[in-house]
Structures are given as structure tokens and as C-alpha cells.
């Protein structure tokens, strides 16, 4: 009887700690996503990952080499801030996935896409490792200036 109680206590403890333990796996998968950016030629300038029990926040700064028509090179830096929820459950209910995160892009500490655009970039990673990213950006009525002489 004592062994059965101990087994139930251990299983309950593991179930309660599951989101926190999964956070370590999610951290490595997020870093893997950043390495895909690096493989495409982006340079990872800095990366911070603050892991909590049910959620985390990642802040990564990337640089893109930009060449002018005169052949001069410069770099365009931007920051990706991702609010991450660890699965499979949260305090608000069943998540059902390994993780979900919403990302925002910043340049010079201001959002690349203004708040009134209601832009959303959300990534879901399932337990199987499959994932999808949904990018919802409304059409631009006018050119959006990101930096001096850099427009979207």
C-alpha cells in the first residue's frame, strides 16, 4: 500500500512539474529556430531567455548585412521578442501542444509594425515536433519607414 501511495505521489509531482520540465526542451527548440536564421546569413547579436514555470520570454537581436548601391556594407539590426507558453497545460486550461509563442519585431526599441495594424505572428509546436507559424499582417496603405532610407 505504501508503494502504491508513493507511486501516486511521484506521478502527481511529475504531472505538476511537466510544464517546467518541458520548458528546457522548448528552450533548445527555440534556439534551434534561431540557428535556422543564422544558416540563412543572419547574425545573432544577442539572445536572452527567461524561463518561468508555465511561460517564458525570449529576446533575440539579429543583424542582416545590407549593401548600398555604392558597394558599402552596413547592417540592419532588429529584435525579436517572443512570449512563450509551455504545454501541455497552463493555469488557464489545456493547451494540448508542446508550446505556443507570439512574436513581435522591434527596431531601435520601437515596434516594426505599429500597434494599430493588429499584426500577429504566432507559432505552434506540437508534441510530434511538427509546427506551424501563422503570420497575420494587414495590407499596408502606405510605405512603412523602418529606418533612415529603409522602407517596407
Amino acid at each position: 500500500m505504501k508503494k502504491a501511495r508513493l507511486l501516486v505521489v511521484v506521478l502527481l509531482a511529475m504531472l505538476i512539474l511537466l510544464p517546467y520540465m518541458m520548458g528546457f526542451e522548448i528552450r533548445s527548440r527555440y534556439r534551434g529556430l534561431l540557428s535556422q536564421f543564422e544558416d540563412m546569413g543572419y547574425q545573432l547579436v544577442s539572445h536572452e531567455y527567461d524561463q518561468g514555470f508555465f511561460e517564458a520570454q525570449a529576446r533575440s537581436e539579429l543583424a542582416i548585412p545590407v549593401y548600398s548601391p555604392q558597394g558599402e556594407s552596413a547592417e540592419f539590426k532588429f529584435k525579436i521578442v517572443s512570449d512563450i507558453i509551455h504545454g501541455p497545460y497552463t493555469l488557464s486550461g489545456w493547451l494540448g501542444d508542446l508550446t505556443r509563442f507570439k512574436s513581435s519585431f522591434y527596431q531601435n526599441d520601437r515596434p516594426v509594425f505599429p500597434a494599430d495594424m493588429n499584426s500577429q505572428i504566432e507559432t505552434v509546436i506540437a508534441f510530434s515536433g511538427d509546427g506551424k507559424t501563422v503570420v497575420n499582417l494587414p495590407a499596408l496603405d502606405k510605405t512603412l519607414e523602418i529606418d533612415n532610407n529603409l522602407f517596407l
Side-chain angles (χ1 to χ4, degrees):
M1 193 64 168
K2 285 185 177 184
K3 289 181 182 180
R5 265 192 224 154
L6 181 62
L7 180 63
V8 168
V9 169
V10 168
L11 289 175
L12 283 175
M14 287 179 61
L15 182 64
I16 290 170
L17 293 174
L18 186 61
Y20 185 73
M21 292 184 297
M22 290 178 73
F24 294 103
E25 175 66 20
I26 294 164
R27 170 185 244 160
S28 69
R29 288 193 187 202
Y30 190 86
R31 185 60 184 94
L33 290 172
L34 289 177
S35 69
Q36 289 178 357
F37 276 107
E38 291 177 299
D39 291 344
M40 291 186 293
Y42 294 76
Q43 178 187 2
L44 184 62
V45 177
S46 67
H47 175 66
E48 296 176 29
Y49 193 96
D50 297 326
Q51 182 178 336
F53 198 85
F54 290 105
E55 56 193 34
Q57 187 179 58
R59 292 172 300 285
S60 307
E61 187 172 10
L62 296 165
I64 304 171
V66 178
Y67 299 97
S68 71
Q70 294 80 19
E72 298 172 5
S73 69
E75 57 182 27
F76 171 71
K77 290 184 182 180
F78 65 97
K79 187 180 286 190
I80 302 173
V81 177
S82 298
D83 295 313
I84 302 166
I85 300 173
H86 303 160
Y89 65 88
T90 65
L91 289 176
S92 60
W94 182 254
L95 185 61
D97 294 309
L98 181 64
T99 185
R100 292 182 183 184
F101 51 92
K102 294 183 181 182
S103 301
S104 302
F105 291 83
Y106 295 88
Q107 204 273 326
N108 289 334
D109 293 327
R110 67 174 217 250
V112 171
F113 305 106
D116 60 345
M117 283 184 67
N118 294 324
S119 62
Q120 295 179 342
I121 302 169
E122 187 171 341
T123 303
V124 176
I125 300 176
F127 282 100
S128 64
D130 294 338
K132 69 177 181 175
T133 298
V134 176
V135 179
N136 183 13
L137 297 175
L140 296 172
D141 324 4
K142 58 183 180 179
T143 305
L144 183 65
E145 184 174 0
I146 297 175
D147 200 6
N148 288 339
N149 297 324
L150 184 61
F151 298 94
L152 178 66

